[in-house]
Amino acid sequence: NAGVTQTPKFRVLKTGQSMTLLCAQDMNHEYMYWYRQDPGMGLRLIHYSVGEGTTAKGEVPDGYNVSRLKKQNFLLGLESAAPSQTSVYFCASSYFRDSMNTEAFFGQGTRLTVV
Amino acid sequence: AQSVAQPEDQVNVAEGNPLTVKCTYSVSGNPYLFWYVQYPNRGLQFLLKYITGDNLVKGSYGFEAEFNKSQTSFHLKKPSALVSDSALYFCAVKARRGSTLGRLYFGRGTQLTVWP
């Protein structure tokens, strides 16, 4: 029972490089989220999706793009990485709003360093 | 603006004493409320939630939380703290309706330290 799986777990990028973080969930959840965690800042929402084919901006969307072509996958892209994007990235998923089981499940995180 | 506030960056308590970690929110439309815990170098783990009904909810590891609608608060409590409870705790709020439907807001986190 995998839950939420993030790949890769670690990555070092040079400034200006691009990459894609993959989030996969096997719980048939409608909602998926990408957060970044920085010391003293808590979790800040980058983008989220309320269903296949839909995405929405969160608090800190600049410099990131996302896609949800399949219900189980939520991709986060960095087109031109900057040192300010050095962070730990977490993906999460949850059921639809009217479900009693509406808590989010988190992946183990991706530690990204941009040099 | 919609937000979640955890007014204390750190809470320190002695083992065996009760603990409280505070959370207030400003999210419209009667949102869902959650507490999560994070241990070093790990993802977030769900502790408990308020959906509807009784204002006192019980969760994992002996934690409970009290919902107060008039004060828009959802404080996390435990009657007797353990050293193993030391971790980073996050309050989260999920919008039930409106333009931010499904959006999950987090506080900045409170570092709980329980000393022997």
Side-chain angles (χ1 to χ4, degrees):
Chain A
N1 199 6
V4 180
T5 303
Q6 292 181 230
T7 53
K9 291 184 170 51
F10 302 93
R11 186 73 186 268
V12 178
L13 283 181
K14 293 182 178 179
T15 298
Q17 286 185 320
S18 64
M19 78 164 293
T20 300
L21 281 68
L22 171 63
C23 177
Q25 53 95 2
D26 62 359
M27 296 171 282
N28 202 33
H29 285 164
E30 292 84 6
Y31 294 166
M32 295 188 75
Y33 309 86
W34 275 108
Y35 293 89
R36 59 178 290 173
Q37 184 177 23
D38 303 290
M41 301 295 290
L43 272 74
R44 292 184 291 171
L45 182 64
I46 304 171
H47 288 278
Y48 65 109
S49 168
V50 299
E52 182 179 329
T54 70
T55 62
K57 293 180 180 180
E59 304 168 74
V60 289
D62 294 342
Y64 304 96
N65 57 76
V66 288
S67 65
R68 184 122 182 247
L69 300 179
K70 294 183 179 181
K71 187 176 184 180
Q72 64 267 33
N73 296 336
F74 195 29
L75 278 64
L76 177 71
L78 287 73
E79 291 187 347
S80 179
S84 60
Q85 294 178 305
T86 293
S87 187
V88 180
Y89 292 84
F90 286 101
C91 176
S93 69
S94 73
Y95 282 118
F96 187 58
R97 72 179 190 279
D98 288 332
S99 169
M100 292 298 289
N101 300 312
T102 188
E103 63 269 24
F105 292 81
F106 280 78
Q108 290 300 298
T110 296
R111 188 173 296 274
L112 175 66
T113 303
V114 183
V115 297
Chain B
Q2 310 207 63
S3 64
V4 180
Q6 293 181 240
E8 301 155 317
D9 292 335
Q10 293 192 9
V11 170
N12 300 310
V13 298
E15 188 172 34
N17 282 2
L19 68 87
T20 298
V21 183
K22 296 180 181 178
C23 173
T24 60
Y25 62 92
S26 175
V27 176
S28 59
N30 197 26
Y32 299 106
L33 305 168
F34 307 90
W35 276 100
Y36 288 84
V37 60
Q38 185 182 33
Y39 297 97
N41 300 313
R42 301 293 298 275
L44 274 70
Q45 299 176 28
F46 168 73
L47 272 182
L48 50 76
K49 63 188 173 189
Y50 175 81
I51 304 297
T52 187
D54 194 350
N55 289 346
L56 185 66
V57 294
K58 296 186 184 296
S60 307
Y61 312 118
F63 283 94
E64 56 190 29
E66 187 168 13
F67 168 60
N68 187 316
K69 187 174 183 178
S70 62
Q71 297 184 4
T72 60
S73 66
F74 189 54
H75 300 331
L76 181 70
K77 300 180 179 183
K78 188 173 182 181
S80 179
L82 299 172
V83 172
S84 57
D85 293 330
S86 298
L88 186 58
Y89 290 81
F90 288 97
C91 179
V93 176
K94 186 175 185 179
R96 293 197 199 217
R97 59 182 62 87
S99 61
T100 56
L101 171 66
R103 182 164 168 166
L104 185 59
Y105 302 83
F106 279 84
R108 289 195 171 191
T110 298
Q111 181 65 48
L112 172 67
T113 301
V114 182
W115 37 278

